[in-house]
Amino acid sequence: MTSLEFTSQVQKISLTLRPAAMNLTRDADDAKDLVQETLLKALLNKDKFKAGTNLKAWLYTIMRNTFINNYNKITKRSSNIDSTEYFQYFNTDQNYITHNGATSDFVVRDINEAISSLGTDYRTPFMMYYIGYKYMEIAEKLQIPIGTVKNRIHIARKDLKAALQVYAPVGASAATETLED
């Protein structure tokens, strides 16, 4: 197809593009702009059109993609987020703030002591579970029933929870006592 033939066919089809553009934009001026932009892109990219294919569908596809791209640009531009209020609350939770490095050293030391105070029968399955072993893998490695593994891990957790009660969040001890009764 020659450039002249292509241009004349595009001109004929351009009249049918206007109602579709109006349907997309819902505004007469925006529809005219969309049709013009579509025709400009079609003429600039006529080498990408394959002769024998549906020119009308190709033009509608260009128009639809142009509309979508323009819509995305507009919505991206107009969706400015006022981040000042957001950052006001960012990481203000006391659990995320370290006031003193020594405090965390005490906590780690207390956790390690609590784990060390567990009996070997409880500490070994608990630590294996902690590092990622599944119950079945622990049972196989230690050659004990899976029910025993689950029971020992449960008891180890319960003992650690009791030993580290000092670090429980405020109000958690009352809830724990209610659950255990």
Side-chain angles (χ1 to χ4, degrees):
M1 176 182 302
T2 65
S3 292
L4 189 59
E5 291 172 338
F6 179 81
T7 305
S8 69
Q9 284 187 1
V10 167
Q11 282 179 338
K12 288 177 191 174
I13 297 172
S14 69
L15 299 175
T16 63
L17 292 176
R18 194 156 295 180
M22 187 64 181
N23 194 19
L24 288 171
T25 62
R26 310 256 188 250
D27 181 67
D29 292 332
D30 289 341
K32 287 179 186 176
D33 291 342
L34 181 60
V35 170
Q36 285 180 347
E37 195 171 348
T38 300
L39 295 175
L40 177 65
K41 286 182 178 182
L43 294 173
L44 290 173
N45 293 298
K46 65 183 169 205
D47 56 313
K48 294 179 182 173
F49 176 74
K50 294 183 177 95
T53 60
N54 189 346
L55 179 62
K56 189 174 185 179
W58 188 67
L59 290 171
Y60 276 99
T61 302
I62 292 172
M63 184 170 60
R64 185 196 55 192
N65 290 342
T66 302
F67 172 76
I68 291 170
N69 290 340
N70 289 341
Y71 179 80
N72 287 338
K73 284 178 190 174
I74 290 168
T75 56
K76 190 180 277 188
R77 245 186 263 138
S78 65
S79 65
N80 293 333
I81 298 172
D82 183 16
S83 59
T84 53
E85 187 174 325
Y86 172 74
F87 287 122
Q88 180 180 355
Y89 300 106
F90 188 70
N91 276 348
T92 58
D93 188 353
Q94 293 300 314
N95 294 331
Y96 295 111
I97 299 172
T98 304
H99 297 287
N100 185 348
T103 305
S104 62
D105 292 340
F106 287 123
V107 173
V108 170
R109 189 185 70 215
D110 289 348
I111 291 171
N112 287 331
E113 285 177 9
I115 292 171
S116 297
S117 71
L118 293 172
T120 307
D121 289 345
Y122 299 103
R123 182 176 53 241
T124 303
F126 174 78
M127 289 308 295
M128 289 176 76
Y129 182 77
Y130 175 74
I131 61 174
Y133 283 93
K134 304 285 186 239
Y135 289 126
M136 189 60 81
E137 295 170 329
I138 297 168
E140 289 172 2
K141 288 213 183 255
L142 298 178
Q143 298 178 346
I144 56 177
I146 192 166
T148 305
V149 170
K150 289 180 180 181
N151 187 38
R152 288 181 181 175
I153 292 172
H154 172 74
I155 291 170
R157 284 181 176 163
K158 189 175 168 185
D159 290 350
L160 289 172
K161 194 175 194 179
L164 300 169
Q165 188 65 39
V166 171
Y167 299 107
V170 177
S173 59
T176 304
E177 290 170 6
T178 307
L179 290 175
E180 290 177 357
D181 288 343

